[in-house]
Amino acid sequence: MAVAGLLAVGGDRGRRAAVEGLVALAASSALTNGPLKSVTRRRRPGDGLGRFLVPQTGRTPKSSSLPSSHAASASAFAAAAGLAYPYAAAPLAVAAGAVAFSRVNAGRHFISDVGAGLIVGAAVGAAVHWAAGRVRPAPAASRTNDDAS
């Protein structure tokens, strides 16, 4: 939400990127936490990959480990917002990668879980961006040129 707020400060393109990113995040979360986790039913790992940055604390979630909904949500936001606002694409991709790494490092997911989550999220983000382009009206300059012909 904070990143979406920062993007929204960037004018029309930034606001569009923020909205697309949040829609993609919500869609990805619904997809991974609903049908995908119920189909896969994979156990969660017992320990992190060294846990040198993020210690495992609290109880382990009971939901399926595959795919990682955190990685999917981060990737969906990064993909949709990055496609809408290319200047933000690289930092958003780095942030999504950090989220994915933290899930493995904390012992909540296997590497393949976050890999699947990143792929699902990127696909959802790209689909949301594509769909937004289909419903968004053309810029005024394009409509004027089209009307003249």
CSV table of all heavy atoms in Angstrom, one decimal, residues 4 7-8 15 24 47 62 64 72 74 81 100-101 103 106 109 112-114 121 138 148:
chain,number,residue,atom,x,y,z
A,4,ALA,N,2.3,1.7,-3.4
A,4,ALA,CA,1.2,2.2,-4.3
A,4,ALA,C,1.0,3.7,-4.1
A,4,ALA,O,0.8,4.5,-5.0
A,4,ALA,CB,-0.1,1.5,-4.1
A,7,LEU,N,3.8,5.6,-5.8
A,7,LEU,CA,3.6,5.6,-7.2
A,7,LEU,C,2.6,6.6,-7.6
A,7,LEU,O,2.7,7.3,-8.6
A,7,LEU,CB,3.2,4.2,-7.7
A,7,LEU,CG,4.3,3.2,-7.8
A,7,LEU,CD1,3.7,1.8,-8.1
A,7,LEU,CD2,5.4,3.5,-8.8
A,8,ALA,N,1.5,6.7,-6.8
A,8,ALA,CA,0.4,7.6,-7.1
A,8,ALA,C,0.8,9.0,-7.2
A,8,ALA,O,0.2,9.9,-7.8
A,8,ALA,CB,-0.7,7.4,-6.1
A,15,ARG,N,-0.4,7.0,-10.9
A,15,ARG,CA,-1.7,6.5,-10.3
A,15,ARG,C,-2.2,5.3,-11.0
A,15,ARG,O,-2.7,4.4,-10.4
A,15,ARG,CB,-2.7,7.7,-10.4
A,15,ARG,CG,-2.5,8.7,-9.3
A,15,ARG,CD,-3.6,9.7,-9.3
A,15,ARG,NE,-3.7,10.6,-10.5
A,15,ARG,CZ,-2.9,11.6,-10.7
A,15,ARG,NH1,-2.0,12.0,-9.8
A,15,ARG,NH2,-3.0,12.4,-11.8
A,24,ALA,N,-3.8,-6.2,-9.4
A,24,ALA,CA,-3.1,-7.5,-9.6
A,24,ALA,C,-2.8,-8.2,-8.3
A,24,ALA,O,-2.9,-9.4,-8.2
A,24,ALA,CB,-1.8,-7.2,-10.4
A,47,ASP,N,12.3,-26.1,8.4
A,47,ASP,CA,13.4,-25.2,8.8
A,47,ASP,C,13.7,-24.3,7.6
A,47,ASP,O,13.5,-24.7,6.5
A,47,ASP,CB,14.6,-26.0,9.3
A,47,ASP,CG,15.6,-25.2,10.1
A,47,ASP,OD1,15.2,-24.1,10.5
A,47,ASP,OD2,16.7,-25.7,10.3
A,62,LYS,N,-1.1,-23.4,8.4
A,62,LYS,CA,-1.6,-24.7,8.1
A,62,LYS,C,-1.9,-24.8,6.6
A,62,LYS,O,-2.1,-25.9,6.1
A,62,LYS,CB,-2.9,-24.9,8.9
A,62,LYS,CG,-2.7,-24.9,10.4
A,62,LYS,CD,-2.0,-26.1,10.8
A,62,LYS,CE,-1.9,-26.1,12.4
A,62,LYS,NZ,-0.6,-26.5,12.9
A,64,SER,N,-1.4,-24.8,2.4
A,64,SER,CA,-0.4,-25.5,1.6
A,64,SER,C,0.7,-24.5,1.3
A,64,SER,O,0.6,-23.3,1.2
A,64,SER,CB,-1.1,-25.8,0.2
A,64,SER,OG,-0.2,-26.3,-0.7
A,72,ALA,N,3.7,-14.5,-4.9
A,72,ALA,CA,2.8,-14.2,-6.0
A,72,ALA,C,2.2,-12.8,-5.9
A,72,ALA,O,2.2,-12.1,-6.9
A,72,ALA,CB,1.6,-15.2,-6.0
A,74,ALA,N,3.6,-10.1,-4.4
A,74,ALA,CA,4.6,-9.2,-4.7
A,74,ALA,C,5.0,-9.1,-6.1
A,74,ALA,O,5.2,-8.0,-6.7
A,74,ALA,CB,5.9,-9.5,-3.8
A,81,ALA,N,2.5,-2.9,-12.0
A,81,ALA,CA,2.9,-1.5,-11.9
A,81,ALA,C,4.1,-1.2,-12.7
A,81,ALA,O,4.2,-0.2,-13.3
A,81,ALA,CB,3.2,-1.3,-10.4
A,100,ALA,N,10.2,-12.8,-1.9
A,100,ALA,CA,10.4,-14.2,-2.2
A,100,ALA,C,11.5,-14.9,-1.4
A,100,ALA,O,11.3,-15.9,-0.7
A,100,ALA,CB,10.6,-14.4,-3.7
A,101,PHE,N,12.6,-14.2,-1.3
A,101,PHE,CA,13.8,-14.7,-0.6
A,101,PHE,C,13.4,-14.8,0.9
A,101,PHE,O,13.8,-15.8,1.6
A,101,PHE,CB,15.0,-13.8,-0.7
A,101,PHE,CG,16.1,-14.2,0.2
A,101,PHE,CD1,16.9,-15.3,-0.1
A,101,PHE,CD2,16.3,-13.5,1.4
A,101,PHE,CE1,18.0,-15.6,0.8
A,101,PHE,CE2,17.4,-13.8,2.2
A,101,PHE,CZ,18.2,-14.9,1.9
A,103,ARG,N,10.7,-15.5,2.3
A,103,ARG,CA,9.8,-16.6,2.6
A,103,ARG,C,10.6,-17.9,2.7
A,103,ARG,O,10.2,-18.8,3.6
A,103,ARG,CB,8.7,-16.7,1.6
A,103,ARG,CG,7.8,-15.5,1.4
A,103,ARG,CD,7.3,-14.9,2.7
A,103,ARG,NE,6.4,-15.8,3.3
A,103,ARG,CZ,6.0,-15.8,4.6
A,103,ARG,NH1,6.5,-14.8,5.4
A,103,ARG,NH2,5.1,-16.6,5.0
A,106,ALA,N,12.9,-17.6,5.9
A,106,ALA,CA,12.2,-17.7,7.2
A,106,ALA,C,11.7,-19.2,7.4
A,106,ALA,O,11.1,-19.4,8.5
A,106,ALA,CB,11.0,-16.7,7.2
A,109,HIS,N,8.6,-21.5,3.2
A,109,HIS,CA,8.4,-22.1,1.8
A,109,HIS,C,9.6,-22.7,1.3
A,109,HIS,O,10.7,-22.3,1.7
A,109,HIS,CB,7.9,-21.0,0.8
A,109,HIS,CG,6.6,-20.5,1.1
A,109,HIS,ND1,5.4,-21.1,0.7
A,109,HIS,CD2,6.1,-19.3,1.6
A,109,HIS,CE1,4.4,-20.4,1.0
A,109,HIS,NE2,4.8,-19.3,1.6
A,112,SER,N,11.0,-23.9,-4.6
A,112,SER,CA,10.1,-24.1,-5.7
A,112,SER,C,8.7,-23.4,-5.4
A,112,SER,O,8.0,-23.0,-6.4
A,112,SER,CB,9.9,-25.6,-6.0
A,112,SER,OG,9.4,-26.2,-4.8
A,113,ASP,N,8.3,-23.3,-4.2
A,113,ASP,CA,7.1,-22.6,-3.8
A,113,ASP,C,7.1,-21.1,-4.2
A,113,ASP,O,6.2,-20.6,-4.8
A,113,ASP,CB,6.8,-22.7,-2.3
A,113,ASP,CG,6.7,-24.1,-1.8
A,113,ASP,OD1,6.4,-25.0,-2.6
A,113,ASP,OD2,6.9,-24.2,-0.6
A,114,VAL,N,8.2,-20.5,-3.9
A,114,VAL,CA,8.3,-19.1,-4.2
A,114,VAL,C,8.5,-18.9,-5.7
A,114,VAL,O,8.0,-17.9,-6.3
A,114,VAL,CB,9.4,-18.3,-3.4
A,114,VAL,CG1,9.1,-18.3,-1.9
A,114,VAL,CG2,10.8,-18.8,-3.7
A,121,GLY,N,2.3,-14.8,-10.1
A,121,GLY,CA,2.1,-13.4,-9.9
A,121,GLY,C,2.5,-12.6,-11.1
A,121,GLY,O,1.7,-11.6,-11.5
A,138,ALA,N,-8.5,5.9,-25.0
A,138,ALA,CA,-7.2,6.3,-25.7
A,138,ALA,C,-7.0,7.8,-25.2
A,138,ALA,O,-7.9,8.5,-24.9
A,138,ALA,CB,-7.4,6.3,-27.2
A,148,ALA,N,-9.8,12.9,-37.3
A,148,ALA,CA,-9.4,13.7,-38.5
A,148,ALA,C,-9.3,12.8,-39.8
A,148,ALA,O,-9.5,13.3,-40.8
A,148,ALA,CB,-8.1,14.4,-38.3
